[in-house]
Amino acid sequence: MVLGGPAVGSADAASACTGRLAKTVPFKTGKLHVYKSRSYACAMAVAKKPGPRRSMTVTIQARGGSPVTDRGKYTKQAGPVTVHALNRCVRASAGISGGSASTGWILC
């Protein structure tokens, strides 16, 4: 399920974020990747070991905006999810099968 406005990506819409890789946060069961282009920020949760469907979630939020989340049962990744982030900080979080990570406010 994908929640958010018109600048929202979904796990089925694309396999990767555009822009430059701005931050990677590893955790026990995967990695949280945050990408930044000129006006947008994008996040993905990628499993350490792709395999059977399991619970995954990824959320990104621009400061002052609503969070955008992709949550479901996936084999490899949750996301990408995208927010408009021109001149705004963002924060992202991810969870895969009990492991999780978050960034705090970044890209300020």
Side-chain angles (χ1 to χ4, degrees):
M1 176 180 211
V2 178
L3 307 171
V8 176
S10 75
D12 297 328
S15 61
C17 293
T18 60
R20 65 174 174 80
L21 180 62
K23 184 141 184 113
T24 298
V25 183
F27 56 99
K28 186 173 115 179
T29 55
K31 292 182 182 179
L32 167 62
H33 296 289
V34 180
Y35 292 81
K36 178 75 167 112
S37 63
R38 185 180 183 285
S39 300
Y40 293 91
C42 179
M44 296 174 25
V46 181
K48 187 178 279 189
K49 295 182 181 176
R53 290 190 175 274
R54 60 195 160 208
S55 179
M56 295 186 193
T57 184
V58 63
T59 300
I60 191 167
Q61 178 182 9
R63 191 176 297 253
S66 298
V68 179
T69 300
D70 180 23
R71 178 178 298 128
K73 293 197 179 279
Y74 303 114
T75 59
K76 182 179 177 183
Q77 75 181 43
V81 288
T82 303
V83 293
H84 187 265
L86 182 64
N87 300 321
R88 298 193 323 184
C89 303
V90 298
R91 65 180 172 188
S93 62
I96 300 173
S97 299
S100 64
S102 62
T103 62
W105 292 108
I106 60 171
L107 307 178
C108 297

